[in-house]
Amino acid sequence: LLDITINNFQLDDLGTELIMKALVGHPRISRINFENNQMTSKSAIFINHVLKYNQVITTAHFGSNNLGDDAMMYIGEGLAKNHVVTELSLCNNNITDVGVEVLFKSLEDRKPPINLLYISENLITSKNAAMLQKFITKHKPQYFAIKNNQLGFLGVKMLVEAFAEAKSGVSVTLGSNQLNDEEKLKIKTEVIPPELKKAVRLQGISLFQLTQYTY
């Protein structure tokens, strides 16, 4: 099986359409990387087709584009009908709580679940933290990256609690989510259960990270 990587190429919606049409029935490509391009929600229509009809691709990276909230409907619908993709990156795509809600409703009962999920550097607040919490505790992803968003203390607290409940080596990255030093200390001393203390690292002023720990 092969990988296709088209990163940093200023790929626009028209170029995406042509490439995705070629990928729909391709039998040998298992990993696609289209990061740091110029894809918008129009590209998501063609991503949707690939996700629906290609049952070979297991990894899909679309980070650092401009997909936005509207794209989450198409991507979520495609994933709901896809049974092979287990790694997904949508980092840095101007996704807000509106898009997150649409996406995670599609992922709620999906089998197999997304095992590696990257949604860092978006505009996600604590509004849908309960939905994210449910996803972590139910599906126990191997890695869940949501750093550099706007979760705040409440959102981070809820995801830390989800991590503690999962008890399966889940790794969650929560860096730079608008926590001040006092709030980070409170998370560390009051929220994280004693058995997870050694799984926690605080780096720098704003980075809070939970690293993989199995018990």
Side-chain angles (χ1 to χ4, degrees):
L1 295 178
L2 305 172
D3 296 357
I4 180 170
T5 298
I6 305 179
N7 296 339
N8 309 302
F9 270 87
Q10 298 186 341
L11 183 70
D12 60 11
D13 295 324
L14 178 59
T16 301
E17 177 182 358
L18 296 174
I19 294 170
M20 292 297 167
K21 284 181 176 179
L23 288 176
V24 166
H26 202 292
R28 296 186 59 200
I29 292 176
S30 65
R31 182 183 179 96
I32 56 175
N33 302 287
F34 294 88
E35 299 197 306
N36 197 24
N37 287 298
Q38 297 177 359
M39 299 160 63
T40 73
S41 59
K42 294 180 181 178
S43 290
I45 297 171
F46 308 106
I47 294 172
N48 171 284
H49 294 164
V50 171
L51 293 173
K52 279 183 180 178
Y53 302 115
N54 186 303
Q55 297 297 314
V56 180
I57 294 169
T58 60
T59 299
H61 286 190
F62 303 112
S64 297
N65 281 282
N66 191 27
L67 293 173
D69 290 331
D70 290 343
M72 296 305 102
M73 178 182 69
Y74 296 109
I75 292 175
E77 181 187 55
L79 287 169
K81 297 182 179 180
N82 177 286
H83 304 292
V84 291
V85 171
T86 56
E87 180 174 343
L88 177 68
S89 175
L90 294 168
C91 296
N92 191 24
N93 266 291
N94 297 312
I95 302 168
T96 73
D97 294 319
V98 173
V100 164
E101 183 174 0
V102 172
L103 177 65
F104 277 82
K105 280 183 178 178
S106 300
L107 298 179
E108 186 174 0
D109 297 316
R110 184 181 182 271
K111 293 182 181 179
I114 301 296
N115 196 37
L116 298 155
L117 181 59
Y118 306 86
I119 52 174
S120 297
E121 299 173 359
N122 283 295
L123 303 168
I124 303 167
T125 74
S126 62
K127 180 178 179 180
N128 289 311
M131 183 178 286
L132 303 179
Q133 186 182 48
K134 182 178 179 181
F135 176 84
I136 293 174
T137 55
K138 180 177 181 178
H139 295 297
K140 299 177 174 59
Q142 181 182 343
Y143 192 77
F144 187 92
I146 190 170
K147 66 181 180 180
N148 297 330
N149 277 281
Q150 301 171 13
L151 290 175
F153 177 79
L154 176 61
V156 170
K157 177 178 180 292
M158 292 177 71
L159 295 193
V160 169
E161 290 170 347
F163 169 81
E165 184 179 341
K167 299 181 180 179
S168 65
V170 177
S171 184
V172 184
T173 301
L174 293 160
S176 300
N177 264 290
Q178 299 185 342
L179 270 70
N180 59 38
D181 289 345
E182 182 180 350
E183 289 171 330
K184 286 189 294 182
L185 181 62
K186 190 172 182 179
I187 290 284
K188 186 175 181 180
T189 57
E190 299 180 21
V191 178
I192 300 171
E195 63 269 23
L196 288 181
K197 294 293 186 184
K198 61 182 179 181
V200 174
R201 290 187 299 166
L202 290 174
Q203 299 178 355
I205 295 175
S206 60
L207 178 61
F208 178 76
Q209 183 175 34
L210 290 175
T211 55
Q212 185 169 335
Y213 180 65
T214 305
Y215 62 100

